Amino acid sequence: MFKDIVIFSSIVMISFVSTNVKGQIASSGWKEEDRIYSKVFDAPLSGKQLRKGTTLYQVTSQKPTVLALIFTRCTGVCNPFLLELKENIELRTNEKNFNILVMSFDPRDTEKDLDDLAMRFGLSEDKRWEFAVTDSIRSLVQSIGFKPVWDSLRQQYDHDALLIGINSEGYITKKLIGIRNNADLGLLLASIQDSFTPTYRMANPNMLFSCFNYDAKTGKNTPGLGLIFVALPALIAMVIVLSVNFFVRVNRI
Amino acid sequence: MQQSILMLFLGLLAISTIVFTYVYQSSQKATDLDRGMANPLKSRFWFLLILFVILGIFASVTIPKSPYYFYADETPSRVVHVAAKQFAFVLSNNAIDPKNPVGENAIELLENELVEFRVTSFDVNHGFAIYNKAGQLIAQTQAMPGYVNKLRWKFSEPGAYSILCLEYCGMAHQIMRSSFTVK
Amino acid sequence: METLKLRKITSVWIIIVLTLFVVAIVLGILMRLNQGEIIQQSPITFYGNMTTHGLTMIGIWFVAGMAAVNYLLERYVKTSYAANLFALVLTVIGVLMLWCSTFIGEFHAGWTFLYPLPFKIMWAEWATPLFLSSLGVLGLGWLVWSISLMAQILKKYSISQAFAWQHFHKNPKVETPPFILITMITLIGVIACLIAAVILLILFFIEYFSTGSFVNDALLMKNLTYFFGHTIANEMLYLGLAVIYELFAEVSGRPKWHTTWYVALAWNLSLIFILTAFFHHLYMDFVQPEGLQIIGQIASYLASLPAAGVTVFSILVAVYRNKINWSLTNLLFFIGVAGWVIGGLGAVIDATISNNFILHNTLWVPAHFHTYNAMGNVLFSLAFFHWFSNQYYHHKERQNTLKLSILLIGGAGFLLAFYIGGAESIPRRYSTYPSDLPMGATLASIAALFASLYLIAILIFFFNISKKCLKILSSSPQSS
Ligand code: HEM
Ligand SMILES: [Cu+2]
């Protein structure tokens, strides 16, 4: 019976929390807060799967959209970034209610370049994915607050790997900077479906003792060490009761 | 809202006082022949059951009204970023850089538009509480370092609103405040 | 049986508690006077006094409950004088350290010292480690004391008997006295919250000594802070209840209370609720997972059921239409239970998330916890003090009505000002109120007046009780 109480209380604490951790996920800080809930620029798009004259709003109004900004000549983050995104999306085969729009912010990129990119990633046939360029890229990146810097020495753009969540009304609902795990992507997808989470965690120099961690490998949220710390006093108290009980009995005999 | 809470409390206060006084007086009047309550176990059972039901109803009515669910299925038309620092608030239409926290001089919101306050702190815990013209607390959330709390709210009345710090943050806590207007 | 040593140390506890109480009330009145703009203190002085007042009050009423429980426990088991003395010495040292850090070092982060405020030095550098160490010293003394009392119980009763589990079956062979059951349950809660304090202090000190390489998580620290702070404030009330279960019937000339299945069940459940109710302190931290918020509300609601359905109801049943030998002791118990109920109502209202949204950190919070402390737990302990000292030096009780009336009127006025302030959205922990909340200062002045009445009543109790306790201290074995 006593054991049951211990087990029961720890299960209650942990299970309730692990089902409710939507909100507590690391992010790379305040930059992701920029331009939240502002409208993206309604850029005209051209891409192989798109009808001529399609604009960004026409895409988003059909389905909420995850926008990834890359350039095809990138020797840095763009490729691993897209790969990770592709793998994470593949884990979500059942979720169809969103588009992923990959766009180049490099004016040199053509429709053809992006088409090739789609082929390379084996995504040209996938209905959920679109690859496109636009002739108004400056207005688009400006409306997003994305600031690539041209580095003429390396002949490369210095830029963040950026995912932008856009809901069906064309509002930016969330951003993710950097290569991120599936759980973070899940938050982004929830936000473009207009499902509200009242909070999120910012990057912290010491995550060890935070109440909620995520496991980068499985992409799942697990109750962090911190949460165990919250339950710890109760558990230690139980241990003390049991050991005191043990010692008084041993000593008596 | 606060007034009805106070009334509810005063009502309950009156009831408890009457019960205790009544019970006390019944004992003063009691003689050696009195045997107390007729069937205490049964009344105890009923008392508990009624209490349980009342609390159950109360919980199921109030929990869905918790601020975590406010306007959850709408897109805010306005975002206000809030960063609290000993002993001031920075309010901005744009994200606030901790290294260079600058905000707007004046924030103006529109009547009945959905505003999302994204509240954080750059040092210690602070509170972010919105007071209306009449000095009534209408909404609040905490400002915690390392976290962003999102408070969604629609202002139904135009006017000047104040923001007060409601988490003790040090010696100038009582003067830590800011304001905005709703048109 | 109780020894002379125990009697003397209990008297020492009583004198210390009452003396510190008077000082802490004076600090409280000074705070109200400052908020009422009748006196002008610097904010640093105000917040320093607030920190001292808060922690001193929590400390003294906790040890008052412990001392009473220890004294009465001697009726059932042999308690350890050494542990009692150890706690006494560490309490005195701890309080002196605390006062040094606040009065001399001007430490003023509040008694809940929410991380990372203690590290934002606005006072003498040494005051932060001294304050944290003072908590460590108090915590250590109390932990040893609690574990020692628990060990003595477990020597006589098996674990399942201490929890009164045999009462879940029909016709149990042995009865666990209610006093033992409640003491046991309460001690476990006390130990848990003291452990939370230890973990909290360790995390504070790791960061303190790591000079920047280790940073704590604010959310975790807040959870631990209230695990400690809320739970100890709650458990000290339960210590008072244990005393009531033991003494109320006895001083009233009524049959002793017995443990029944529902008493056993209620107290066992209380343990679970009390260890999860502290989540209600984090309602406005939307970062806390929603599941915990809802546990917070439900646990807070449920915690009131065993309290109301068993303890309060039992008191009412015991009194209702029964002839009772009313004396100051059981009157104080009875009024204290009423105060506890009323404060509890205020607490349940505030523990509702949607109400907390507009009450959190307003004066509603000190309103409700002062109700079940100043008009609940304090009266339980005063009742015990009075009963204890009267056992040896009985004086005829005079002017009970007058004493109680001053106490009640003073307390009620003081508390009502807090409640109205809460409903007027006046923030708590403001040294002075902004000009757009003019009610704040008015209410504070009125409160100061009523609190002074309360102080007068307490001073009368203080003199009557201390006089007898001093006699106990100077008594020799023969004279008793
Ligand atoms: C007549 C007696 C008392 C007076 C005049 C008094 C006065 C006050 C005042 C003015 C405050 C500050 C309120 C604010 O936040 O603005 C306060 C806070 C507090 N009081 Fe009392 N009080 C009294 C009795 C008690 C008792 C019996 C306890 C027992 C536990 C207690 C515990 C506390 C605590 C824990 C705080 C919170 C301190 C903080 O916010 O850090 N008080 N009191
Ligand atoms: Cu503040």
Side-chain angles (χ1 to χ4, degrees):
Chain A
M1 183 111 182
F2 200 78
K3 220 167 77 194
D4 292 349
I5 294 186
V6 178
I7 295 172
F8 172 76
S9 46
S10 35
I11 288 180
V12 166
M13 307 255 317
I14 287 167
S15 65
F16 259 83
V17 167
S18 52
T19 55
N20 282 289
V21 284
K22 278 194 286 184
Q24 278 63 34
I25 290 161
S27 76
S28 42
W30 68 278
K31 271 207 236 157
E32 290 182 359
E33 289 284 287
D34 194 27
R35 308 287 159 105
I36 293 289
Y37 301 122
S38 59
K39 275 207 164 183
V40 292
F41 177 73
D42 188 16
L45 306 177
S46 47
K48 193 170 158 227
Q49 296 195 38
L50 298 166
R51 267 191 305 110
K52 221 173 159 42
T54 311
T55 68
L56 185 53
Y57 284 4
Q58 282 166 358
V59 174
T60 59
S61 65
Q62 275 163 11
K63 282 178 186 175
T65 299
V66 179
L67 173 63
L69 287 172
I70 49 93
F71 70 111
T72 60
R73 290 169 186 76
C74 183
T75 57
V77 73
C78 289
N79 275 316
F81 171 56
L82 267 188
L83 198 65
E84 174 81 12
L85 181 61
K86 180 189 161 195
E87 281 176 359
N88 281 334
I89 297 288
E90 273 166 4
L91 293 175
R92 300 173 181 270
T93 41
N94 298 328
E95 297 166 40
K96 296 245 151 54
N97 196 21
F98 60 89
N99 295 315
I100 303 134
L101 177 60
V102 181
M103 289 190 68
S104 167
F105 57 83
D106 182 351
R108 293 172 300 173
D109 277 331
T110 62
E111 208 182 309
K112 173 83 175 45
D113 289 330
L114 281 154
D115 202 29
D116 290 346
L117 184 70
M119 298 268 263
R120 264 213 322 278
F121 278 87
L123 290 169
S124 39
E125 301 302 316
D126 194 321
K127 279 270 163 335
R128 287 191 293 188
W129 291 74
E130 320 257 18
F131 286 74
V133 292
T134 173
D135 53 15
S136 354
I137 189 65
R138 290 193 72 145
S139 315
L140 181 62
V141 296
Q142 239 166 35
S143 73
I144 292 168
F146 181 63
K147 299 189 186 85
V149 180
W150 176 250
D151 179 348
S152 52
L153 213 68
R154 284 166 49 233
Q155 291 288 304
Q156 285 282 317
Y157 284 100
D158 226 351
H159 70 104
D160 289 329
L162 177 65
L163 278 186
I164 304 111
I166 305 172
N167 72 6
S168 48
E169 289 144 64
Y171 287 99
I172 299 173
T173 57
K174 188 168 175 60
K175 292 179 175 183
L176 293 177
I177 295 175
I179 296 182
R180 302 287 280 275
N181 62 38
N182 201 6
D184 287 0
L185 184 67
L187 269 183
L188 182 81
L189 291 177
S191 80
I192 60 179
Q193 314 287 355
D194 291 334
S195 118
F196 176 62
T197 46
T199 174
Y200 80 93
R201 248 191 82 89
M202 295 206 281
N204 182 319
N206 190 319
M207 309 281 282
L208 181 62
F209 288 117
S210 66
C211 293
F212 311 96
N213 294 334
Y214 59 86
D215 185 334
K217 288 206 191 70
T218 61
K220 278 207 186 104
N221 280 298
T222 50
L225 206 51
L227 190 75
I228 296 165
F229 268 72
V230 177
L232 206 57
L235 297 181
I236 295 182
M238 299 296 175
V239 171
I240 291 181
V241 175
L242 292 180
S243 24
V244 166
N245 185 47
F246 177 76
F247 282 116
V248 293
R249 251 143 260 279
V250 167
N251 285 352
R252 211 163 39 183
I253 296 165
Chain B
M1 185 63 189
Q2 278 96 338
Q3 289 313 313
S4 32
I5 290 177
L6 184 63
M7 287 306 144
L8 171 68
F9 173 74
L10 292 178
L12 294 171
L13 167 75
I15 295 173
S16 337
T17 313
I18 291 169
V19 169
F20 273 85
T21 319
Y22 173 74
V23 169
Y24 174 70
Q25 281 177 346
S26 80
S27 127
Q28 296 257 297
K29 278 186 254 152
T31 59
D32 286 330
L33 294 175
D34 274 311
R35 282 280 159 73
M37 199 176 279
N39 192 341
L41 195 60
K42 201 162 142 201
S43 3
R44 188 190 301 267
F45 172 78
W46 281 109
F47 174 64
L48 261 176
L49 190 70
I50 294 170
L51 208 62
F52 186 78
V53 171
I54 292 178
L55 284 177
I57 295 173
F58 228 75
S60 44
V61 171
T62 57
I63 287 179
K65 292 192 182 146
S66 304
Y68 327 121
Y69 313 118
F70 285 170
Y71 309 108
D73 47 3
E74 290 176 46
T75 311
S77 46
R78 187 65 191 276
V79 179
V80 178
H81 297 267
V82 181
K85 257 174 85 88
Q86 283 173 331
F87 295 97
F89 291 98
V90 180
L91 272 69
S92 172
N93 295 319
N94 302 308
I96 301 164
D97 182 354
K99 296 216 180 63
N100 178 28
V102 279
E104 255 69 51
N105 288 332
I107 294 273
E108 273 190 358
L109 306 173
L110 296 180
E111 203 178 330
N112 286 324
E113 73 175 342
L114 177 56
V115 186
E116 182 171 301
F117 294 95
R118 297 169 79 97
V119 183
T120 190
S121 163
F122 290 156
D123 44 37
V124 299
N125 288 284
H126 297 274
F128 172 82
I130 303 174
Y131 279 69
N132 66 12
K133 258 197 317 259
Q136 209 174 26
L137 172 56
I138 56 173
Q140 68 169 314
T141 188
Q142 294 278 121
M144 183 179 261
Y147 293 88
V148 177
N149 284 322
K150 302 188 227 168
L151 169 67
R152 291 187 168 187
W153 197 254
K154 281 181 185 169
F155 295 92
S156 52
E157 276 169 38
Y161 288 80
S162 316
I163 297 166
L164 267 63
C165 180
L166 276 203
E167 186 61 76
Y168 176 62
C169 60
M171 58 187 179
H173 167 56
Q174 72 284 0
I175 53 173
M176 171 163 171
R177 57 189 293 159
S178 183
S179 62
F180 60 87
T181 46
V182 173
K183 282 200 297 191
Chain C
M1 253 333 273
E2 60 123 347
T3 59
L4 187 63
K5 270 191 333 196
L6 180 61
R7 194 184 309 163
K8 287 195 171 177
I9 197 168
T10 308
S11 312
V12 176
W13 277 119
I14 293 175
I15 294 171
I16 291 181
V17 165
L18 287 175
T19 314
L20 296 186
F21 187 36
V22 171
V23 176
I25 295 181
V26 170
L27 292 179
I29 294 176
L30 286 178
M31 279 192 276
R32 275 326 233 163
L33 286 173
N34 194 60
Q35 290 170 331
E37 292 165 22
I38 295 170
I39 60 170
Q40 259 92 39
Q41 288 178 326
S42 81
I44 293 182
T45 312
F46 177 91
Y47 292 123
N49 288 348
M50 182 185 86
T51 308
T52 317
H53 170 87
L55 197 54
T56 306
M57 285 291 195
I58 296 288
I60 57 178
W61 297 110
F62 173 74
V63 295
M66 285 291 281
V69 160
N70 188 332
Y71 180 81
L72 292 171
L73 199 57
E74 194 74 14
R75 293 176 164 188
Y76 300 95
V77 301
K78 177 96 201 65
T79 63
S80 156
Y81 178 73
N84 197 335
L85 187 63
F86 180 71
L88 178 68
V89 172
L90 288 206
T91 302
V92 171
I93 297 176
V95 169
L96 289 179
M97 287 166 71
L98 164 73
W99 285 15
C100 264
S101 76
T102 56
F103 287 134
I104 304 174
E106 298 196 320
F107 180 87
H108 56 271
W111 90 272
T112 48
F113 58 101
L114 213 49
Y115 172 87
L117 194 52
F119 290 147
K120 304 282 175 211
I121 309 284
M122 295 175 274
W123 39 76
E125 293 261 351
W126 49 264
T128 295
L130 185 64
F131 175 83
L132 294 176
S133 312
S134 78
L135 278 174
V137 170
L138 293 172
L140 177 68
W142 300 346
L143 197 57
V144 168
W145 197 9
S146 320
I147 292 179
S148 142
L149 289 183
M150 190 178 74
Q152 303 307 326
I153 293 179
L154 287 176
K155 266 186 198 160
K156 177 157 172 196
Y157 301 88
S158 73
I159 271 209
S160 68
Q161 283 171 355
F163 282 95
W165 285 342
Q166 78 276 20
H167 288 276
F168 296 145
H169 305 291
K170 272 216 162 71
N171 306 323
K173 284 193 208 73
V174 258
E175 197 211 338
T176 306
F179 180 74
I180 294 292
L181 167 67
I182 301 170
T183 304
M184 182 69 191
I185 298 277
T186 308
L187 287 177
I188 295 176
V190 168
I191 291 168
C193 71
L194 292 177
I195 297 282
V198 171
I199 297 176
L200 182 67
L201 288 178
I202 291 175
L203 290 175
F204 260 110
F205 274 115
I206 294 179
E207 179 165 340
Y208 184 77
F209 289 115
S210 81
T211 53
S213 59
F214 177 88
V215 179
N216 277 296
D217 183 87
L219 181 59
L220 169 63
M221 295 298 266
K222 193 166 180 184
N223 272 292
L224 285 174
T225 302
Y226 285 106
F227 195 135
F228 159 66
H230 169 82
T231 312
I232 195 161
N234 208 328
E235 294 293 0
M236 64 195 207
L237 239 146
Y238 285 6
L239 292 171
L241 292 185
V243 175
I244 292 192
Y245 272 77
E246 180 67 18
L247 287 184
F248 188 81
E250 185 177 316
V251 294
S252 305
R254 304 280 315 155
K256 211 169 161 60
W257 291 4
H258 290 287
T259 304
T260 54
W261 65 267
Y262 54 84
V263 172
L265 182 67
W267 281 96
N268 275 273
L269 288 176
S270 302
L271 181 59
I272 297 174
F273 301 147
I274 204 176
L275 291 180
T276 44
F278 75 89
F279 288 128
H280 62 218
H281 284 268
L282 286 99
Y283 285 161
M284 289 305 114
D285 291 278
F286 297 179
V287 292
Q288 180 90 334
E290 266 157 53
L292 297 186
Q293 309 284 27
I294 291 164
I295 293 186
Q297 176 162 348
I298 293 177
S300 310
Y301 276 27
L302 288 179
S304 69
L305 287 177
V310 175
T311 306
V312 176
F313 203 82
S314 298
I315 284 272
L316 292 177
V317 169
V319 174
Y320 180 69
R321 294 178 63 188
N322 279 315
K323 200 161 153 38
I324 294 238
N325 312 330
W326 286 107
S327 65
L328 196 53
T329 308
N330 49 14
L331 267 175
L332 282 167
F333 278 140
F334 192 71
I335 300 171
V337 171
W340 176 46
V341 168
I342 293 163
L345 292 167
V348 168
I349 289 177
D350 194 27
T352 308
I353 301 170
S354 58
N355 292 338
N356 191 261
F357 189 54
I358 48 171
L359 294 179
H360 182 69
N361 279 351
T362 65
L363 287 182
W364 193 275
V365 181
H368 81 258
F369 75 69
H370 277 94
T371 312
Y372 50 64
N373 282 313
M375 293 309 265
N377 200 16
V378 168
L379 305 202
F380 299 163
S381 286
L382 283 182
F384 170 79
F385 296 170
H386 178 78
W387 171 84
F388 167 83
S389 55
N390 256 18
Q391 283 188 97
Y392 310 106
Y393 296 97
H394 190 78
H395 295 275
K396 210 168 149 22
E397 290 175 4
R398 263 169 309 159
Q399 291 172 329
N400 280 350
T401 328
L402 180 68
K403 277 185 262 179
L404 287 174
S405 307
I406 303 177
L407 192 72
L408 275 179
I409 294 170
F414 162 66
L415 293 171
L416 216 53
F418 268 154
Y419 282 106
I420 297 173
E424 290 288 330
S425 307
I426 314 287
R428 76 181 281 200
R429 294 176 163 167
Y430 267 33
S431 58
T432 47
Y433 297 113
S435 54
D436 47 352
L437 296 174
M439 275 291 264
T442 317
L443 287 168
S445 324
I446 299 173
L449 187 75
F450 279 100
S452 310
L453 276 184
Y454 183 92
L455 177 62
I456 292 175
I458 292 298
L459 282 172
I460 299 175
F461 280 102
F462 172 66
F463 286 122
N464 286 343
I465 294 170
S466 308
K467 210 167 56 198
K468 289 182 254 174
C469 284
L470 284 174
K471 278 197 202 150
I472 294 173
L473 277 182
S474 58
S475 66
S476 55
Q478 293 84 348
S479 69
S480 61

